[in-house]
Amino acid sequence: MTTASAARVADLGSAKIHSNLPVSSLIDTAIRNGEGTLASNGALMCDTGARTGRSPGDKFLEDTPGIHDNIDWGKVNKPISTENFAKLEALALEHLRGKEDLYRFDGYAGADANYRLKVSVVTEEAWHSLFAKTLFINAEKDALANFEPDWVIYNACNMKIDNPEQYGVTSDLAIVQSLEQRKVIILGTRYAGEIKKSIFYAMNYDLPDIGVFPMHCSSNVAKEDDSNVALFFGLSGTGKTTLSADPDRRLIGDDEHGWSDDGVFNVEGGCYAKCIKLRPETEPEIYKAIRFGSVLENVVLDDDKTPDYDDGSKTENTRVTYPVNFIEDAVIPSMGGHPKNVLFLAADAFGVLPPVSKLTPEQAMYYFVNGYTSKLAGTEAGVTEPQPNFSPCFGGPFMPRPPMVYAEWLAKRIEQNGSDVWLLNTGWTGGPYGVGERFQLPWTRAFVSRILDGSLRDAPTVVHPIFGLRMPTEVAGVPSEVLDPRNTWADKDAYDAKARDLASRFRANDGKFDLSDAVRAAGPSA
């Protein structure tokens, strides 16, 4: 990125800094330190302790005059004073300086060198350094000698905060970020996803100022046609990673991207996949990627150290991190052209939305800014069963700017490039959660395949009477009766009532946004 470096790694006292250790050394160290266990497939399995998901209620942003007016302050972007930020930073650094050994990773966020950030991650546990090495883009050997980061993350994961109220936080853990100082301080949580998302948050602030649309999405491209690029938007658990890891297509990235005037690029160098109920038959690419050099989180191991992906006793949010090149035939560097198709993924716990529908430009902006899905068990602390959730731009927890900034970027990019936009329900059919069943993955893959090969682009459709969505009447490989969700419910009146209920929730939510009359009219009939 063209911005000047603003961050420096602090003096860490007498602690021995192990910088950019090779994978094998980090794994050996983590095992020796009791941080993890080598699974039978070669992956390092680590337990994150009490926090097995992100802790959004404990995330705070330093409030300074330079950024104040650009931030969408509220439940997601909660302010912390410069004074309290400094106090928490001092706590973390004092804790880290008390360690005999610390681990430093230097690398990049952003596959396109024109827009990348230099990132340094300092951790007290070796496995967190392996996580960073696996997830971010590793710096070239000759760049490490004089590496000056744009951003620094200090991860004091075992430092609990006493008397949190005196620091302006609410519990014994906190994740605090400064967009001006370009620092992230993590205290009291071992969940590695906080490292990943803090840098995505940083890029979501910086990229719009230099002409790039930042996106919470995965991306892939046809093997035989590098112009056939697709994006998959969605929150955790909706299928971004699963659907983009397609053996018939090449993976660009699984979670975070930028869309510039030249095309799309991956923010990361690795993937962070859910692995609950993982099967080699249904997700072969991900299953094969779990090997030496990858990191499992909170997966239960059998007596012979074989991962039991069906066991969610620690959390439903079991995870694996692996380098993107562990996916066969992935695109390296992780860049592609302009997307032909943009897919919004919504895991609808109401069982109301059609499994697939093609959106008008106005509907695309409406459903993007509302960002409907369901929070799935384990993806955040305290979430034990699916809940209806509106997350602006399918990434509200990671967006510092007002949602309309990102929605206007979407509208601009799809108009410029003639991209088609689709809404896929990867959630429930035949009834709501607890009554119906989740859509079968082979059906969802069939929808995706027919979208990407162009066969659904001009297919006959019928219009949903409440949501106004255009539903195809036939999709190869899928029973026709599931294409209209009302057909799958035994009690049609119950479906109508639930559909109206969800529509009213959309209407209550869309009042938060300054939408044009045409975009607002593209929403459901409450």
Side-chain angles (χ1 to χ4, degrees), residues 131-137 196 251-256 266-272 321-325 334:
F131 176 90
K133 187 178 186 68
T134 302
L135 189 72
F136 294 123
I137 300 166
K196 163 190 169 76
L251 180 68
I252 297 173
D254 84 317
D255 194 40
E256 301 164 2
N266 190 4
V267 167
E268 300 169 319
C271 303
Y272 196 37
T321 308
Y322 48 85
V324 68
N325 63 9
S334 304

mmCIF file with all atom_site columns, all heavy atoms in Angstrom, residues 131-137 196 251-256 266-272 321-325 334:
data_model
loop_
_atom_site.group_PDB
_atom_site.id
_atom_site.type_symbol
_atom_site.label_atom_id
_atom_site.label_alt_id
_atom_site.label_comp_id
_atom_site.label_asym_id
_atom_site.label_entity_id
_atom_site.label_seq_id
_atom_site.pdbx_PDB_ins_code
_atom_site.Cartn_x
_atom_site.Cartn_y
_atom_site.Cartn_z
_atom_site.occupancy
_atom_site.B_iso_or_equiv
_atom_site.pdbx_formal_charge
_atom_site.auth_seq_id
_atom_site.auth_comp_id
_atom_site.auth_asym_id
_atom_site.auth_atom_id
_atom_site.pdbx_PDB_model_num
ATOM 1   N N   . PHE A 1 131 ? -0.092  -19.733 13.292 1.00 0.00 ? 131 PHE A N   1
ATOM 2   C CA  . PHE A 1 131 ? -1.361  -19.293 12.720 1.00 0.00 ? 131 PHE A CA  1
ATOM 3   C C   . PHE A 1 131 ? -1.131  -18.107 11.774 1.00 0.00 ? 131 PHE A C   1
ATOM 4   O O   . PHE A 1 131 ? -1.627  -18.081 10.647 1.00 0.00 ? 131 PHE A O   1
ATOM 5   C CB  . PHE A 1 131 ? -2.325  -18.907 13.845 1.00 0.00 ? 131 PHE A CB  1
ATOM 6   C CG  . PHE A 1 131 ? -3.639  -18.340 13.380 1.00 0.00 ? 131 PHE A CG  1
ATOM 7   C CD1 . PHE A 1 131 ? -4.728  -19.171 13.146 1.00 0.00 ? 131 PHE A CD1 1
ATOM 8   C CD2 . PHE A 1 131 ? -3.804  -16.976 13.180 1.00 0.00 ? 131 PHE A CD2 1
ATOM 9   C CE1 . PHE A 1 131 ? -5.945  -18.652 12.718 1.00 0.00 ? 131 PHE A CE1 1
ATOM 10  C CE2 . PHE A 1 131 ? -5.013  -16.447 12.760 1.00 0.00 ? 131 PHE A CE2 1
ATOM 11  C CZ  . PHE A 1 131 ? -6.085  -17.288 12.523 1.00 0.00 ? 131 PHE A CZ  1
ATOM 12  N N   . ALA A 1 132 ? -0.377  -17.104 12.248 1.00 0.00 ? 132 ALA A N   1
ATOM 13  C CA  . ALA A 1 132 ? -0.102  -15.931 11.411 1.00 0.00 ? 132 ALA A CA  1
ATOM 14  C C   . ALA A 1 132 ? 0.693   -16.321 10.167 1.00 0.00 ? 132 ALA A C   1
ATOM 15  O O   . ALA A 1 132 ? 0.409   -15.844 9.058  1.00 0.00 ? 132 ALA A O   1
ATOM 16  C CB  . ALA A 1 132 ? 0.661   -14.880 12.219 1.00 0.00 ? 132 ALA A CB  1
ATOM 17  N N   . LYS A 1 133 ? 1.659   -17.196 10.329 1.00 0.00 ? 133 LYS A N   1
ATOM 18  C CA  . LYS A 1 133 ? 2.483   -17.627 9.193  1.00 0.00 ? 133 LYS A CA  1
ATOM 19  C C   . LYS A 1 133 ? 1.642   -18.377 8.167  1.00 0.00 ? 133 LYS A C   1
ATOM 20  O O   . LYS A 1 133 ? 1.861   -18.272 6.953  1.00 0.00 ? 133 LYS A O   1
ATOM 21  C CB  . LYS A 1 133 ? 3.610   -18.527 9.698  1.00 0.00 ? 133 LYS A CB  1
ATOM 22  C CG  . LYS A 1 133 ? 4.641   -18.928 8.663  1.00 0.00 ? 133 LYS A CG  1
ATOM 23  C CD  . LYS A 1 133 ? 5.732   -19.772 9.277  1.00 0.00 ? 133 LYS A CD  1
ATOM 24  C CE  . LYS A 1 133 ? 6.850   -20.041 8.273  1.00 0.00 ? 133 LYS A CE  1
ATOM 25  N NZ  . LYS A 1 133 ? 7.614   -18.824 7.928  1.00 0.00 ? 133 LYS A NZ  1
ATOM 26  N N   . THR A 1 134 ? 0.654   -19.123 8.660  1.00 0.00 ? 134 THR A N   1
ATOM 27  C CA  . THR A 1 134 ? -0.221  -19.903 7.789  1.00 0.00 ? 134 THR A CA  1
ATOM 28  C C   . THR A 1 134 ? -1.241  -19.026 7.091  1.00 0.00 ? 134 THR A C   1
ATOM 29  O O   . THR A 1 134 ? -1.566  -19.235 5.924  1.00 0.00 ? 134 THR A O   1
ATOM 30  C CB  . THR A 1 134 ? -0.946  -20.983 8.620  1.00 0.00 ? 134 THR A CB  1
ATOM 31  O OG1 . THR A 1 134 ? 0.029   -21.811 9.243  1.00 0.00 ? 134 THR A OG1 1
ATOM 32  C CG2 . THR A 1 134 ? -1.850  -21.837 7.766  1.00 0.00 ? 134 THR A CG2 1
ATOM 33  N N   . LEU A 1 135 ? -1.718  -18.006 7.799  1.00 0.00 ? 135 LEU A N   1
ATOM 34  C CA  . LEU A 1 135 ? -2.846  -17.225 7.307  1.00 0.00 ? 135 LEU A CA  1
ATOM 35  C C   . LEU A 1 135 ? -2.441  -16.036 6.441  1.00 0.00 ? 135 LEU A C   1
ATOM 36  O O   . LEU A 1 135 ? -3.088  -15.742 5.439  1.00 0.00 ? 135 LEU A O   1
ATOM 37  C CB  . LEU A 1 135 ? -3.692  -16.727 8.477  1.00 0.00 ? 135 LEU A CB  1
ATOM 38  C CG  . LEU A 1 135 ? -5.017  -16.093 8.069  1.00 0.00 ? 135 LEU A CG  1
ATOM 39  C CD1 . LEU A 1 135 ? -5.995  -17.151 7.582  1.00 0.00 ? 135 LEU A CD1 1
ATOM 40  C CD2 . LEU A 1 135 ? -5.624  -15.321 9.215  1.00 0.00 ? 135 LEU A CD2 1
ATOM 41  N N   . PHE A 1 136 ? -1.387  -15.332 6.841  1.00 0.00 ? 136 PHE A N   1
ATOM 42  C CA  . PHE A 1 136 ? -0.966  -14.159 6.076  1.00 0.00 ? 136 PHE A CA  1
ATOM 43  C C   . PHE A 1 136 ? 0.015   -14.569 4.969  1.00 0.00 ? 136 PHE A C   1
ATOM 44  O O   . PHE A 1 136 ? 0.380   -15.738 4.841  1.00 0.00 ? 136 PHE A O   1
ATOM 45  C CB  . PHE A 1 136 ? -0.332  -13.114 7.001  1.00 0.00 ? 136 PHE A CB  1
ATOM 46  C CG  . PHE A 1 136 ? -1.301  -12.520 7.998  1.00 0.00 ? 136 PHE A CG  1
ATOM 47  C CD1 . PHE A 1 136 ? -1.049  -12.579 9.346  1.00 0.00 ? 136 PHE A CD1 1
ATOM 48  C CD2 . PHE A 1 136 ? -2.482  -11.930 7.567  1.00 0.00 ? 136 PHE A CD2 1
ATOM 49  C CE1 . PHE A 1 136 ? -1.932  -12.043 10.268 1.00 0.00 ? 136 PHE A CE1 1
ATOM 50  C CE2 . PHE A 1 136 ? -3.379  -11.393 8.472  1.00 0.00 ? 136 PHE A CE2 1
ATOM 51  C CZ  . PHE A 1 136 ? -3.106  -11.449 9.831  1.00 0.00 ? 136 PHE A CZ  1
ATOM 52  N N   . ILE A 1 137 ? 0.445   -13.607 4.182  1.00 0.00 ? 137 ILE A N   1
ATOM 53  C CA  . ILE A 1 137 ? 1.375   -13.855 3.087  1.00 0.00 ? 137 ILE A CA  1
ATOM 54  C C   . ILE A 1 137 ? 2.791   -13.666 3.619  1.00 0.00 ? 137 ILE A C   1
ATOM 55  O O   . ILE A 1 137 ? 3.120   -12.602 4.159  1.00 0.00 ? 137 ILE A O   1
ATOM 56  C CB  . ILE A 1 137 ? 1.096   -12.893 1.913  1.00 0.00 ? 137 ILE A CB  1
ATOM 57  C CG1 . ILE A 1 137 ? -0.333  -13.104 1.390  1.00 0.00 ? 137 ILE A CG1 1
ATOM 58  C CG2 . ILE A 1 137 ? 2.116   -13.091 0.799  1.00 0.00 ? 137 ILE A CG2 1
ATOM 59  C CD1 . ILE A 1 137 ? -0.816  -12.006 0.467  1.00 0.00 ? 137 ILE A CD1 1
ATOM 60  N N   . LYS A 1 196 ? -6.611  -12.534 12.811 1.00 0.00 ? 196 LYS A N   1
ATOM 61  C CA  . LYS A 1 196 ? -7.039  -12.456 11.407 1.00 0.00 ? 196 LYS A CA  1
ATOM 62  C C   . LYS A 1 196 ? -7.962  -11.261 11.165 1.00 0.00 ? 196 LYS A C   1
ATOM 63  O O   . LYS A 1 196 ? -7.737  -10.450 10.248 1.00 0.00 ? 196 LYS A O   1
ATOM 64  C CB  . LYS A 1 196 ? -7.741  -13.765 11.064 1.00 0.00 ? 196 LYS A CB  1
ATOM 65  C CG  . LYS A 1 196 ? -8.612  -13.777 9.827  1.00 0.00 ? 196 LYS A CG  1
ATOM 66  C CD  . LYS A 1 196 ? -9.416  -15.082 9.782  1.00 0.00 ? 196 LYS A CD  1
ATOM 67  C CE  . LYS A 1 196 ? -10.500 -15.049 8.734  1.00 0.00 ? 196 LYS A CE  1
ATOM 68  N NZ  . LYS A 1 196 ? -9.970  -15.209 7.376  1.00 0.00 ? 196 LYS A NZ  1
ATOM 69  N N   . LEU A 1 251 ? -9.134  -21.876 -6.587 1.00 0.00 ? 251 LEU A N   1
ATOM 70  C CA  . LEU A 1 251 ? -9.404  -20.994 -5.454 1.00 0.00 ? 251 LEU A CA  1
ATOM 71  C C   . LEU A 1 251 ? -8.514  -19.759 -5.513 1.00 0.00 ? 251 LEU A C   1
ATOM 72  O O   . LEU A 1 251 ? -7.296  -19.861 -5.685 1.00 0.00 ? 251 LEU A O   1
ATOM 73  C CB  . LEU A 1 251 ? -9.161  -21.748 -4.148 1.00 0.00 ? 251 LEU A CB  1
ATOM 74  C CG  . LEU A 1 251 ? -9.415  -20.945 -2.874 1.00 0.00 ? 251 LEU A CG  1
ATOM 75  C CD1 . LEU A 1 251 ? -10.905 -20.640 -2.715 1.00 0.00 ? 251 LEU A CD1 1
ATOM 76  C CD2 . LEU A 1 251 ? -8.889  -21.699 -1.645 1.00 0.00 ? 251 LEU A CD2 1
ATOM 77  N N   . ILE A 1 252 ? -9.130  -18.594 -5.363 1.00 0.00 ? 252 ILE A N   1
ATOM 78  C CA  . ILE A 1 252 ? -8.378  -17.345 -5.191 1.00 0.00 ? 252 ILE A CA  1
ATOM 79  C C   . ILE A 1 252 ? -8.204  -17.056 -3.702 1.00 0.00 ? 252 ILE A C   1
ATOM 80  O O   . ILE A 1 252 ? -7.124  -16.718 -3.235 1.00 0.00 ? 252 ILE A O   1
ATOM 81  C CB  . ILE A 1 252 ? -9.074  -16.181 -5.919 1.00 0.00 ? 252 ILE A CB  1
ATOM 82  C CG1 . ILE A 1 252 ? -9.099  -16.453 -7.433 1.00 0.00 ? 252 ILE A CG1 1
ATOM 83  C CG2 . ILE A 1 252 ? -8.366  -14.857 -5.632 1.00 0.00 ? 252 ILE A CG2 1
ATOM 84  C CD1 . ILE A 1 252 ? -9.905  -15.443 -8.234 1.00 0.00 ? 252 ILE A CD1 1
ATOM 85  N N   . GLY A 1 253 ? -9.277  -17.196 -2.940 1.00 0.00 ? 253 GLY A N   1
ATOM 86  C CA  . GLY A 1 253 ? -9.204  -17.003 -1.491 1.00 0.00 ? 253 GLY A CA  1
ATOM 87  C C   . GLY A 1 253 ? -10.534 -17.340 -0.857 1.00 0.00 ? 253 GLY A C   1
ATOM 88  O O   . GLY A 1 253 ? -11.567 -17.370 -1.533 1.00 0.00 ? 253 GLY A O   1
ATOM 89  N N   . ASP A 1 254 ? -10.532 -17.580 0.468  1.00 0.00 ? 254 ASP A N   1
ATOM 90  C CA  . ASP A 1 254 ? -11.735 -18.132 1.087  1.00 0.00 ? 254 ASP A CA  1
ATOM 91  C C   . ASP A 1 254 ? -12.524 -17.156 1.952  1.00 0.00 ? 254 ASP A C   1
ATOM 92  O O   . ASP A 1 254 ? -13.581 -17.515 2.454  1.00 0.00 ? 254 ASP A O   1
ATOM 93  C CB  . ASP A 1 254 ? -11.377 -19.372 1.922  1.00 0.00 ? 254 ASP A CB  1
ATOM 94  C CG  . ASP A 1 254 ? -10.901 -19.034 3.326  1.00 0.00 ? 254 ASP A CG  1
ATOM 95  O OD1 . ASP A 1 254 ? -10.106 -18.084 3.471  1.00 0.00 ? 254 ASP A OD1 1
ATOM 96  O OD2 . ASP A 1 254 ? -11.333 -19.722 4.272  1.00 0.00 ? 254 ASP A OD2 1
ATOM 97  N N   . ASP A 1 255 ? -12.019 -15.900 2.165  1.00 0.00 ? 255 ASP A N   1
ATOM 98  C CA  . ASP A 1 255 ? -12.734 -15.092 3.164  1.00 0.00 ? 255 ASP A CA  1
ATOM 99  C C   . ASP A 1 255 ? -12.684 -13.585 2.964  1.00 0.00 ? 255 ASP A C   1
ATOM 100 O O   . ASP A 1 255 ? -13.654 -12.912 3.260  1.00 0.00 ? 255 ASP A O   1
ATOM 101 C CB  . ASP A 1 255 ? -12.195 -15.429 4.552  1.00 0.00 ? 255 ASP A CB  1
ATOM 102 C CG  . ASP A 1 255 ? -13.070 -14.909 5.680  1.00 0.00 ? 255 ASP A CG  1
ATOM 103 O OD1 . ASP A 1 255 ? -14.302 -14.982 5.557  1.00 0.00 ? 255 ASP A OD1 1
ATOM 104 O OD2 . ASP A 1 255 ? -12.527 -14.443 6.687  1.00 0.00 ? 255 ASP A OD2 1
ATOM 105 N N   . GLU A 1 256 ? -11.585 -13.035 2.510  1.00 0.00 ? 256 GLU A N   1
ATOM 106 C CA  . GLU A 1 256 ? -11.425 -11.576 2.499  1.00 0.00 ? 256 GLU A CA  1
ATOM 107 C C   . GLU A 1 256 ? -10.731 -11.140 1.212  1.00 0.00 ? 256 GLU A C   1
ATOM 108 O O   . GLU A 1 256 ? -9.665  -11.664 0.876  1.00 0.00 ? 256 GLU A O   1
ATOM 109 C CB  . GLU A 1 256 ? -10.601 -11.130 3.713  1.00 0.00 ? 256 GLU A CB  1
ATOM 110 C CG  . GLU A 1 256 ? -11.240 -11.531 5.040  1.00 0.00 ? 256 GLU A CG  1
ATOM 111 C CD  . GLU A 1 256 ? -10.271 -11.437 6.217  1.00 0.00 ? 256 GLU A CD  1
ATOM 112 O OE1 . GLU A 1 256 ? -9.120  -11.015 5.999  1.00 0.00 ? 256 GLU A OE1 1
ATOM 113 O OE2 . GLU A 1 256 ? -10.655 -11.784 7.336  1.00 0.00 ? 256 GLU A OE2 1
ATOM 114 N N   . ASN A 1 266 ? -6.924  -11.494 -3.088 1.00 0.00 ? 266 ASN A N   1
ATOM 115 C CA  . ASN A 1 266 ? -7.099  -12.038 -1.749 1.00 0.00 ? 266 ASN A CA  1
ATOM 116 C C   . ASN A 1 266 ? -6.326  -11.185 -0.749 1.00 0.00 ? 266 ASN A C   1
ATOM 117 O O   . ASN A 1 266 ? -5.206  -10.751 -1.028 1.00 0.00 ? 266 ASN A O   1
ATOM 118 C CB  . ASN A 1 266 ? -6.584  -13.483 -1.723 1.00 0.00 ? 266 ASN A CB  1
ATOM 119 C CG  . ASN A 1 266 ? -6.928  -14.229 -0.450 1.00 0.00 ? 266 ASN A CG  1
ATOM 120 O OD1 . ASN A 1 266 ? -7.618  -13.718 0.424  1.00 0.00 ? 266 ASN A OD1 1
ATOM 121 N ND2 . ASN A 1 266 ? -6.443  -15.458 -0.347 1.00 0.00 ? 266 ASN A ND2 1
ATOM 122 N N   . VAL A 1 267 ? -6.924  -10.942 0.411  1.00 0.00 ? 267 VAL A N   1
ATOM 123 C CA  . VAL A 1 267 ? -6.231  -10.225 1.476  1.00 0.00 ? 267 VAL A CA  1
ATOM 124 C C   . VAL A 1 267 ? -5.223  -11.138 2.157  1.00 0.00 ? 267 VAL A C   1
ATOM 125 O O   . VAL A 1 267 ? -4.184  -10.680 2.626  1.00 0.00 ? 267 VAL A O   1
ATOM 126 C CB  . VAL A 1 267 ? -7.247  -9.665  2.496  1.00 0.00 ? 267 VAL A CB  1
ATOM 127 C CG1 . VAL A 1 267 ? -6.562  -9.187  3.774  1.00 0.00 ? 267 VAL A CG1 1
ATOM 128 C CG2 . VAL A 1 267 ? -8.047  -8.520  1.870  1.00 0.00 ? 267 VAL A CG2 1
ATOM 129 N N   . GLU A 1 268 ? -5.488  -12.431 2.175  1.00 0.00 ? 268 GLU A N   1
ATOM 130 C CA  . GLU A 1 268 ? -4.707  -13.361 2.986  1.00 0.00 ? 268 GLU A CA  1
ATOM 131 C C   . GLU A 1 268 ? -3.897  -14.336 2.137  1.00 0.00 ? 268 GLU A C   1
ATOM 132 O O   . GLU A 1 268 ? -4.050  -14.408 0.926  1.00 0.00 ? 268 GLU A O   1
ATOM 133 C CB  . GLU A 1 268 ? -5.655  -14.141 3.903  1.00 0.00 ? 268 GLU A CB  1
ATOM 134 C CG  . GLU A 1 268 ? -6.433  -13.230 4.843  1.00 0.00 ? 268 GLU A CG  1
ATOM 135 C CD  . GLU A 1 268 ? -7.558  -13.947 5.556  1.00 0.00 ? 268 GLU A CD  1
ATOM 136 O OE1 . GLU A 1 268 ? -8.242  -14.761 4.915  1.00 0.00 ? 268 GLU A OE1 1
ATOM 137 O OE2 . GLU A 1 268 ? -7.749  -13.690 6.750  1.00 0.00 ? 268 GLU A OE2 1
ATOM 138 N N   . GLY A 1 269 ? -3.071  -15.108 2.844  1.00 0.00 ? 269 GLY A N   1
ATOM 139 C CA  . GLY A 1 269 ? -2.311  -16.154 2.183  1.00 0.00 ? 269 GLY A CA  1
ATOM 140 C C   . GLY A 1 269 ? -2.736  -17.542 2.613  1.00 0.00 ? 269 GLY A C   1
ATOM 141 O O   . GLY A 1 269 ? -2.105  -18.527 2.257  1.00 0.00 ? 269 GLY A O   1
ATOM 142 N N   . GLY A 1 270 ? -3.808  -17.599 3.396  1.00 0.00 ? 270 GLY A N   1
ATOM 143 C CA  . GLY A 1 270 ? -4.288  -18.880 3.890  1.00 0.00 ? 270 GLY A CA  1
ATOM 144 C C   . GLY A 1 270 ? -5.792  -18.889 4.019  1.00 0.00 ? 270 GLY A C   1
ATOM 145 O O   . GLY A 1 270 ? -6.468  -17.907 3.689  1.00 0.00 ? 270 GLY A O   1
ATOM 146 N N   . CYS A 1 271 ? -6.340  -19.999 4.493  1.00 0.00 ? 271 CYS A N   1
ATOM 147 C CA  . CYS A 1 271 ? -7.776  -20.191 4.650  1.00 0.00 ? 271 CYS A CA  1
ATOM 148 C C   . CYS A 1 271 ? -8.082  -20.563 6.094  1.00 0.00 ? 271 CYS A C   1
ATOM 149 O O   . CYS A 1 271 ? -7.257  -21.186 6.780  1.00 0.00 ? 271 CYS A O   1
ATOM 150 C CB  . CYS A 1 271 ? -8.271  -21.303 3.725  1.00 0.00 ? 271 CYS A CB  1
ATOM 151 S SG  . CYS A 1 271 ? -7.917  -21.022 1.976  1.00 0.00 ? 271 CYS A SG  1
ATOM 152 N N   . TYR A 1 272 ? -9.284  -20.203 6.534  1.00 0.00 ? 272 TYR A N   1
ATOM 153 C CA  . TYR A 1 272 ? -9.723  -20.449 7.916  1.00 0.00 ? 272 TYR A CA  1
ATOM 154 C C   . TYR A 1 272 ? -11.098 -21.089 7.828  1.00 0.00 ? 272 TYR A C   1
ATOM 155 O O   . TYR A 1 272 ? -12.111 -20.407 7.789  1.00 0.00 ? 272 TYR A O   1
ATOM 156 C CB  . TYR A 1 272 ? -9.769  -19.115 8.654  1.00 0.00 ? 272 TYR A CB  1
ATOM 157 C CG  . TYR A 1 272 ? -9.837  -19.183 10.161 1.00 0.00 ? 272 TYR A CG  1
ATOM 158 C CD1 . TYR A 1 272 ? -9.148  -20.149 10.883 1.00 0.00 ? 272 TYR A CD1 1
ATOM 159 C CD2 . TYR A 1 272 ? -10.563 -18.238 10.875 1.00 0.00 ? 272 TYR A CD2 1
ATOM 160 C CE1 . TYR A 1 272 ? -9.183  -20.173 12.262 1.00 0.00 ? 272 TYR A CE1 1
ATOM 161 C CE2 . TYR A 1 272 ? -10.611 -18.249 12.257 1.00 0.00 ? 272 TYR A CE2 1
ATOM 162 C CZ  . TYR A 1 272 ? -9.917  -19.216 12.960 1.00 0.00 ? 272 TYR A CZ  1
ATOM 163 O OH  . TYR A 1 272 ? -9.957  -19.234 14.333 1.00 0.00 ? 272 TYR A OH  1
ATOM 164 N N   . THR A 1 321 ? -6.831  -23.878 9.947  1.00 0.00 ? 321 THR A N   1
ATOM 165 C CA  . THR A 1 321 ? -6.136  -22.877 9.138  1.00 0.00 ? 321 THR A CA  1
ATOM 166 C C   . THR A 1 321 ? -5.078  -23.593 8.307  1.00 0.00 ? 321 THR A C   1
ATOM 167 O O   . THR A 1 321 ? -4.345  -24.442 8.827  1.00 0.00 ? 321 THR A O   1
ATOM 168 C CB  . THR A 1 321 ? -5.445  -21.837 10.039 1.00 0.00 ? 321 THR A CB  1
ATOM 169 O OG1 . THR A 1 321 ? -6.384  -21.319 10.966 1.00 0.00 ? 321 THR A OG1 1
ATOM 170 C CG2 . THR A 1 321 ? -4.880  -20.706 9.213  1.00 0.00 ? 321 THR A CG2 1
ATOM 171 N N   . TYR A 1 322 ? -5.009  -23.245 7.027  1.00 0.00 ? 322 TYR A N   1
ATOM 172 C CA  . TYR A 1 322 ? -4.003  -23.858 6.158  1.00 0.00 ? 322 TYR A CA  1
ATOM 173 C C   . TYR A 1 322 ? -3.624  -22.860 5.061  1.00 0.00 ? 322 TYR A C   1
ATOM 174 O O   . TYR A 1 322 ? -4.426  -22.000 4.692  1.00 0.00 ? 322 TYR A O   1
ATOM 175 C CB  . TYR A 1 322 ? -4.519  -25.158 5.525  1.00 0.00 ? 322 TYR A CB  1
ATOM 176 C CG  . TYR A 1 322 ? -5.897  -25.052 4.900  1.00 0.00 ? 322 TYR A CG  1
ATOM 177 C CD1 . TYR A 1 322 ? -6.062  -24.598 3.599  1.00 0.00 ? 322 TYR A CD1 1
ATOM 178 C CD2 . TYR A 1 322 ? -7.025  -25.398 5.639  1.00 0.00 ? 322 TYR A CD2 1
ATOM 179 C CE1 . TYR A 1 322 ? -7.324  -24.497 3.038  1.00 0.00 ? 322 TYR A CE1 1
ATOM 180 C CE2 . TYR A 1 322 ? -8.292  -25.285 5.089  1.00 0.00 ? 322 TYR A CE2 1
ATOM 181 C CZ  . TYR A 1 322 ? -8.439  -24.837 3.792  1.00 0.00 ? 322 TYR A CZ  1
ATOM 182 O OH  . TYR A 1 322 ? -9.701  -24.717 3.242  1.00 0.00 ? 322 TYR A OH  1
ATOM 183 N N   . PRO A 1 323 ? -2.398  -22.946 4.543  1.00 0.00 ? 323 PRO A N   1
ATOM 184 C CA  . PRO A 1 323 ? -2.006  -22.057 3.446  1.00 0.00 ? 323 PRO A CA  1
ATOM 185 C C   . PRO A 1 323 ? -2.891  -22.296 2.224  1.00 0.00 ? 323 PRO A C   1
ATOM 186 O O   . PRO A 1 323 ? -3.304  -23.432 1.948  1.00 0.00 ? 323 PRO A O   1
ATOM 187 C CB  . PRO A 1 323 ? -0.552  -22.450 3.164  1.00 0.00 ? 323 PRO A CB  1
ATOM 188 C CG  . PRO A 1 323 ? -0.088  -23.153 4.394  1.00 0.00 ? 323 PRO A CG  1
ATOM 189 C CD  . PRO A 1 323 ? -1.297  -23.830 4.958  1.00 0.00 ? 323 PRO A CD  1
ATOM 190 N N   . VAL A 1 324 ? -3.171  -21.244 1.475  1.00 0.00 ? 324 VAL A N   1
ATOM 191 C CA  . VAL A 1 324 ? -4.057  -21.374 0.320  1.00 0.00 ? 324 VAL A CA  1
ATOM 192 C C   . VAL A 1 324 ? -3.500  -22.366 -0.692 1.00 0.00 ? 324 VAL A C   1
ATOM 193 O O   . VAL A 1 324 ? -4.262  -23.058 -1.385 1.00 0.00 ? 324 VAL A O   1
ATOM 194 C CB  . VAL A 1 324 ? -4.322  -19.997 -0.323 1.00 0.00 ? 324 VAL A CB  1
ATOM 195 C CG1 . VAL A 1 324 ? -3.076  -19.427 -0.973 1.00 0.00 ? 324 VAL A CG1 1
ATOM 196 C CG2 . VAL A 1 324 ? -5.478  -20.057 -1.311 1.00 0.00 ? 324 VAL A CG2 1
ATOM 197 N N   . ASN A 1 325 ? -2.175  -22.508 -0.745 1.00 0.00 ? 325 ASN A N   1
ATOM 198 C CA  . ASN A 1 325 ? -1.611  -23.457 -1.719 1.00 0.00 ? 325 ASN A CA  1
ATOM 199 C C   . ASN A 1 325 ? -1.756  -24.912 -1.288 1.00 0.00 ? 325 ASN A C   1
ATOM 200 O O   . ASN A 1 325 ? -1.350  -25.815 -2.013 1.00 0.00 ? 325 ASN A O   1
ATOM 201 C CB  . ASN A 1 325 ? -0.157  -23.119 -2.042 1.00 0.00 ? 325 ASN A CB  1
ATOM 202 C CG  . ASN A 1 325 ? 0.777   -23.212 -0.853 1.00 0.00 ? 325 ASN A CG  1
ATOM 203 O OD1 . ASN A 1 325 ? 0.401   -23.692 0.217  1.00 0.00 ? 325 ASN A OD1 1
ATOM 204 N ND2 . ASN A 1 325 ? 2.000   -22.728 -1.031 1.00 0.00 ? 325 ASN A ND2 1
ATOM 205 N N   . SER A 1 334 ? -2.698  -14.768 -5.386 1.00 0.00 ? 334 SER A N   1
ATOM 206 C CA  . SER A 1 334 ? -4.150  -14.927 -5.266 1.00 0.00 ? 334 SER A CA  1
ATOM 207 C C   . SER A 1 334 ? -4.882  -13.714 -5.820 1.00 0.00 ? 334 SER A C   1
ATOM 208 O O   . SER A 1 334 ? -5.420  -12.885 -5.081 1.00 0.00 ? 334 SER A O   1
ATOM 209 C CB  . SER A 1 334 ? -4.520  -15.161 -3.805 1.00 0.00 ? 334 SER A CB  1
ATOM 210 O OG  . SER A 1 334 ? -3.826  -16.267 -3.282 1.00 0.00 ? 334 SER A OG  1
#
